Amino acid sequence: MTRRISLTQYLIEQQRQHGHIPQELRLLIEVVARACKRIAISVNKGALGDVLGTAGSENVQGEVQKKLDIIANEVLIEANEWGGHLAAMASEEMEGIYLVPNRFPQGEYLLMFDPLDGSSNIDVNVSIGTIFSVLKKPEGSKGVSEEDFLQPGSAQAAAGYCVYGPQTTLVLTVGDGVTMFTLDREQGSFVLTQENVRIPEDTKEFAINMSNMRHWDAPVKRYIDECLAGEEGPRGKNFNMRWIASMVADVHRILTRGGVFMYPWDRREPNKAGKLRLMYEANPMAFLVEQAGGAATNARERIMDLKPTKLHERVSVVLGSRNEVERVTRYHLEQAQ
Ligand code: P6P
């Protein structure tokens, strides 16, 4: 049986061979991975660990917080605040940024995360996950402010997610391709299971919440209608649909076998650009998808080119197999003409 290498060995070898993973960034990734292992333990306990159900509070998004949302957030904060690799953190579950306490050394990285994405699936035992994004603190900035986080996705130093499903899998990019590590529970460590992940340019599978159809903009309706028309329609082929309502799980499927994921703007809340958050959902997923040969837009522009204006700003998301993302984006740009 081939000996699989651990996340630690992989990162050290990458650093030694390519030198593009600075020591501090390697430490950061390992700390986040360790935090994800601890979150996986709580997730896997379910009812046995008294971690299901709501916490009786709301987050800054006005969403009811699940107990595991808060547990996962606390695990990530506690694991990362003392290491000396971070200057500050930001989370879907916290209104403002979290400065590393003065009793700990300050580092040069900024860490953002959605500690537990897909919370509506927790109580029904469907895959959920942690999404994270890493930026460098701007050169020369004294202290740290929210402004320092407002960098385009193209500035990310690293991004990844951990999906808590039948396997617990960490998926990572530092800008040199996408790599997957599966948690070996007997060893208690993440081991390398796939390198150079590639998304097929074409697909027959789309992911969207169809119950919102009556609220969609015309280009989205046109694209989905053509998929539903199948081989008798303009696409000349039949399509399949998947919607897990857990972005991490839907993106993991797309990284594994292709597909297009859409959470577009709709008329339910016309003043909101979309449902998903730019800084700690769309940007890290866009980085991973592009590094795997796919594409990610807000239906008009490349997501990683967008200049953020607020920490929790929302964005419309179309990502996955390049040719499908380009088609959806083209339909939107044709509408604008
Ligand atoms: P809906 C989970 O709450 C999430 O942020 C994403 O993970 C997921 O893709 C989306 O919302 C699901 O939204 O409206 O289908 O429940």
Side-chain angles (χ1 to χ4, degrees):
M1 184 181 80
T2 53
R3 189 182 76 81
R4 294 192 183 282
I5 68 169
S6 69
L7 171 66
T8 300
Q9 182 179 345
Y10 174 83
L11 292 173
I12 288 172
E13 288 178 354
Q14 286 292 309
Q15 191 179 349
R16 187 182 299 147
Q17 289 157 17
H18 306 285
H20 67 275
I21 306 184
Q23 178 90 5
E24 292 293 276
L25 182 59
R26 177 168 68 79
L27 172 63
L28 193 169
I29 292 168
E30 290 197 87
V31 169
V32 170
R34 204 158 36 244
C36 290
K37 277 196 288 187
R38 283 187 51 201
I39 294 168
I41 290 167
S42 294
V43 167
N44 294 154
K45 280 187 179 152
L48 300 177
D50 187 26
V51 295
L52 301 183
T54 61
S57 52
E58 280 192 355
N59 64 14
V60 63
Q61 329 284 343
E63 295 164 342
V64 173
Q65 287 180 306
K66 296 293 183 66
K67 288 179 186 171
L68 269 172
D69 284 325
I70 294 175
I71 291 167
N73 193 63
E74 287 168 357
V75 166
L76 283 158
I77 296 283
E78 288 163 18
N80 281 285
E81 64 178 353
W82 51 269
H85 49 280
L86 287 183
M89 294 179 246
S91 166
E92 178 185 83
E93 301 304 330
M94 301 186 299
E95 181 155 11
I97 65 172
Y98 179 90
L99 299 177
V100 169
N102 290 331
R103 66 183 182 279
F104 299 126
Q106 308 284 305
E108 60 179 326
Y109 289 103
L110 304 174
L111 176 66
M112 295 167 286
F113 43 82
D114 179 355
L116 208 61
D117 173 68
S119 304
S120 63
N121 285 321
I122 293 173
D123 296 350
V124 294
N125 198 17
V126 170
S127 298
I128 48 184
T130 297
I131 309 171
F132 64 92
S133 172
V134 182
L135 292 167
K136 286 194 75 169
K137 193 175 87 166
E139 296 294 331
S141 67
K142 292 274 171 285
V144 194
S145 69
E146 184 170 309
E147 188 62 29
D148 294 326
F149 282 79
L150 301 181
Q151 304 176 42
S154 53
Q156 291 174 98
Y161 62 79
C162 189
V163 55
Y164 311 113
Q167 303 100 44
T168 294
T169 302
L170 180 75
V171 181
L172 173 71
T173 186
V174 293
D176 187 21
V178 176
T179 310
M180 294 188 176
F181 303 85
T182 302
L183 181 60
D184 178 335
R185 295 184 185 284
E186 285 151 23
Q187 283 187 52
S189 57
F190 282 105
V191 296
L192 176 65
T193 44
Q194 190 173 347
E195 287 187 276
N196 304 319
V197 173
R198 302 302 294 170
I199 299 176
E201 291 191 344
D202 293 301
T203 183
K204 294 180 179 176
E205 206 159 58
F206 66 87
I208 193 167
N209 183 336
M210 293 293 284
S211 70
N212 299 326
M213 183 181 281
R214 64 189 182 282
H215 306 300
W216 292 339
D217 203 357
V220 175
K221 184 78 167 51
R222 174 186 174 192
Y223 176 77
I224 297 296
D225 281 348
E226 290 180 355
C227 290
L228 296 175
E231 53 194 16
E232 296 83 36
R235 301 299 309 274
K237 63 183 183 179
N238 295 326
F239 280 76
N240 193 14
M241 194 213 91
R242 287 286 182 274
W243 187 250
I244 305 174
S246 184
M247 185 184 198
V248 171
D250 281 313
V251 170
H252 192 71
R253 184 190 59 255
I254 288 168
L255 282 170
T256 306
R257 69 183 191 214
V260 59
F261 170 96
M262 299 168 70
Y263 212 114
W265 169 92
D266 68 44
R267 294 186 186 80
R268 288 176 294 169
E269 295 186 272
N271 298 328
K272 281 185 182 174
K275 171 176 184 180
L276 302 179
R277 272 66 62 158
L278 174 60
M279 300 305 292
Y280 40 79
E281 290 177 330
N283 268 340
M285 293 309 203
F287 193 11
L288 288 162
V289 163
E290 286 198 4
Q291 283 290 312
T297 74
N298 66 355
R300 289 178 175 81
E301 302 162 83
R302 181 178 178 242
I303 281 177
M304 293 217 289
D305 288 341
L306 300 175
K307 177 68 176 79
T309 54
K310 293 196 298 292
L311 192 61
H312 298 292
E313 80 180 64
R314 298 171 187 264
V315 68
S316 176
V317 177
V318 181
L319 61 77
S321 292
R322 173 168 295 281
N323 292 340
E324 292 303 312
V325 174
E326 287 175 356
R327 176 184 290 267
V328 176
T329 306
R330 186 168 69 248
Y331 288 2
H332 281 80
L333 296 177
E334 284 169 1
Q335 178 199 45
Q337 283 164 0

